[in-house]
Amino acid sequence: MAIRFVRSNALLLLVPKTGSTWIRSKLGELGIEVEYIGDPAMRDHDLLASYDRAQYSCVGAFVRSPIEWYRSYWAYRMEKGWRPVYPLDEHCASDDFETFVRKAVSVLPGALGNIYRSYIGPPDDEIDFIGHQERLADDFAKFLRTIGEDFDESVLRSGPVVNATSTRPDYPEELAELITLSEWETMERFGYLPDRPDPIGLAEMRARFPEHADDYRLLALWTEQTHWQPDDVKRNAGRPVAAGTRHARAHSNFALSALHKHADADYAEKRYRRALELDPRHPRTLCNYAQLVWRQRNDPDEARRLMLRALAGRPNHPYTLGRLARLTDRELGDAALAEVLYRQSLAGNAAQEEVAVELADLLLRQGHSDAAASLLTERAERPDAGELTRVALATMLLHARKERENA
């Protein structure tokens, strides 16, 4: 259902969790003649598509900051129960607020933006009036003046809050950051972004690569999501991950994309440096930056120093060990040390296909063809064997066959 103002023939759509109950209560006190129209099954929340906009003198609705909207929505469901007919309820219901937010941003990123569009319309075809729940009394008064209603404004300033939930979950900044990422475009559209920090520089990334702007919002969300499980383990063990480390991960992934997707080495280096300001010991950032220094700046000595700095903090970091092995083999020419580093890397993470193939190549070049073939054959027989392993093994077998024929 929605509210039609009889005298002015204006229509007010009631967006969930934006002050609808208060508005209906105040209309009763003001004595303004209205009628409730639409589908009762929508529980007072008919969508814009249910009405012909051209039939009304003015169409209005209210929005609310996504940061507070999600908390209010979850609190309401805790008190009234979940309704699986709605996507948020069906896919994201949880008695734990953090779990609800994580599900919402990973399963239905931008869900609130879609809800708002169903009432407000798209950015290029908005309804006539958009108010904000944060200044509900002021904006509702403005709406009434816009449609030409006579009313006592003091009535809007009096009385208690209506339909407020008593449930108030903890709301750490980490969850607020997740909502900001998920609802970035909605917060930007309705003026909520200026009040939010941007510790990962997403706005800058989107401005630099506008054709991929939304990709970077999703990349930032993915970066957070992939670390939830290990971060929870650390937190439960009394070793919570610092915000700087979380933000460094995003900067580092932005740097990788800037370098490999856009060939923008200068900007990638800027992002790596920013990540290391936030977490000077972050091993993956140090290692990836080292590879930029090696390949783009042609400075293998500095690259090695950065990798050793990463290993000083995480001696068994498989990713860094594998990259240091590659540099040791190709720049320092120390095959024996490179082999040790490759094997240490695989001992820490046996799933690294590229590292195994590089080790096999090194063994082959050192004349250990049987060891190389054995390594790749064993990996090729695994159910999760990748194409790189199969191609490398096939190439090696063909090479060995040619050598035998030549002999």
Side-chain angles (χ1 to χ4, degrees), residues 289-300 302-303 306:
Y289 182 31
Q291 292 180 90
L292 181 151
V293 169
W294 175 21
R295 298 300 193 185
Q296 306 295 323
R297 308 301 183 222
N298 195 28
D299 191 347
E302 174 62 11
L306 287 167

Side-chain angles (χ1 to χ4, degrees), residues 131-199:
H132 289 74
Q133 187 269 350
E134 291 79 10
R135 47 178 189 266
L136 187 56
D138 289 340
D139 281 7
F140 187 51
K142 183 178 179 181
F143 173 74
L144 293 176
R145 288 193 294 269
T146 298
I147 64 176
E149 295 287 352
D150 293 324
F151 64 100
D152 181 357
E153 191 164 336
S154 66
V155 172
L156 302 181
R157 314 293 176 186
S158 62
V161 176
V162 178
N163 200 33
T165 57
S166 59
T167 304
R168 297 289 291 178
D170 290 335
Y171 209 151
E173 179 60 21
E174 181 176 347
L175 295 186
E177 289 176 5
L178 287 176
I179 294 297
T180 301
L181 291 175
S182 180
E183 300 291 347
W184 184 275
E185 293 179 352
T186 295
M187 296 185 73
E188 185 175 43
R189 178 181 178 184
F190 298 114
Y192 293 112
L193 267 189
D195 296 331
R196 293 294 306 152
D198 184 14

Side-chain angles (χ1 to χ4, degrees), residues 20 74 123 145 179 187 195 201 239 285 295 299 345 354 369:
S20 303
W74 178 84
R145 288 193 294 269
I179 294 297
M187 296 185 73
D195 296 331
R239 298 181 289 110
T285 298
R295 298 300 193 185
D299 191 347
S345 176
E354 188 176 9
S369 56

Side-chain angles (χ1 to χ4, degrees), residues 113-393:
N114 293 329
I115 292 173
Y116 282 167
R117 275 190 291 275
S118 67
Y119 291 91
I120 308 298
D124 59 352
D125 191 24
E126 291 181 342
I127 59 176
D128 307 296
F129 180 91
I130 302 172
H132 289 74
Q133 187 269 350
E134 291 79 10
R135 47 178 189 266
L136 187 56
D138 289 340
D139 281 7
F140 187 51
K142 183 178 179 181
F143 173 74
L144 293 176
R145 288 193 294 269
T146 298
I147 64 176
E149 295 287 352
D150 293 324
F151 64 100
D152 181 357
E153 191 164 336
S154 66
V155 172
L156 302 181
R157 314 293 176 186
S158 62
V161 176
V162 178
N163 200 33
T165 57
S166 59
T167 304
R168 297 289 291 178
D170 290 335
Y171 209 151
E173 179 60 21
E174 181 176 347
L175 295 186
E177 289 176 5
L178 287 176
I179 294 297
T180 301
L181 291 175
S182 180
E183 300 291 347
W184 184 275
E185 293 179 352
T186 295
M187 296 185 73
E188 185 175 43
R189 178 181 178 184
F190 298 114
Y192 293 112
L193 267 189
D195 296 331
R196 293 294 306 152
D198 184 14
I200 64 171
L202 178 59
E204 181 182 312
M205 198 73 181
R206 289 166 61 90
R208 191 173 186 91
F209 308 111
E211 67 279 16
H212 300 285
D214 201 50
D215 293 344
Y216 290 112
R217 178 183 69 90
L218 296 176
L219 175 59
L221 282 172
W222 176 86
T223 301
E224 289 282 343
Q225 184 180 351
T226 57
H227 289 88
W228 286 339
Q229 191 275 333
D231 284 359
D232 287 347
V233 171
K234 294 175 183 177
R235 181 176 59 183
N236 293 334
R239 298 181 289 110
V241 175
T245 296
R246 291 191 300 101
H247 300 153
R249 295 164 179 163
H251 282 284
S252 188
N253 281 345
F254 286 165
L256 272 174
S257 183
L259 179 61
H260 296 290
K261 188 171 185 175
H262 305 290
D264 194 338
D266 291 340
Y267 187 65
E269 183 166 14
K270 174 184 175 181
R271 282 294 183 142
Y272 279 134
R273 290 184 178 277
R274 177 59 182 142
L276 292 174
E277 289 173 3
L278 294 168
D279 186 350
R281 301 177 62 187
H282 193 247
R284 187 170 288 269
T285 298
L286 284 163
C287 186
N288 285 334
Y289 182 31
Q291 292 180 90
L292 181 151
V293 169
W294 175 21
R295 298 300 193 185
Q296 306 295 323
R297 308 301 183 222
N298 195 28
D299 191 347
D301 292 334
E302 174 62 11
R304 181 174 182 273
R305 187 189 70 79
L306 287 167
M307 290 182 186
L308 291 175
R309 179 175 151 192
L311 291 172
R314 291 275 299 279
N316 299 316
H317 193 243
Y319 181 77
T320 303
L321 286 166
R323 272 51 184 181
L324 180 58
R326 179 188 297 168
L327 184 146
T328 301
D329 177 30
R330 300 180 185 181
E331 292 291 344
L332 304 182
D334 191 337
L337 177 57
E339 181 180 348
V340 171
L341 293 169
Y342 275 131
R343 293 191 183 280
Q344 288 179 337
S345 176
L346 288 172
N349 181 4
Q352 298 178 99
E353 185 180 25
E354 188 176 9
V355 172
V357 170
E358 289 181 11
L359 173 57
D361 176 67
L362 183 147
L363 292 171
L364 185 63
R365 285 186 279 111
Q366 297 303 309
H368 306 304
S369 56
D370 290 344
S374 177
L375 172 65
L376 291 180
T377 299
E378 185 275 328
R379 296 186 67 88
E381 292 174 349
R382 295 181 182 182
D384 61 345
E387 183 178 358
L388 180 62
T389 298
R390 296 191 183 96
V391 170
L393 177 59

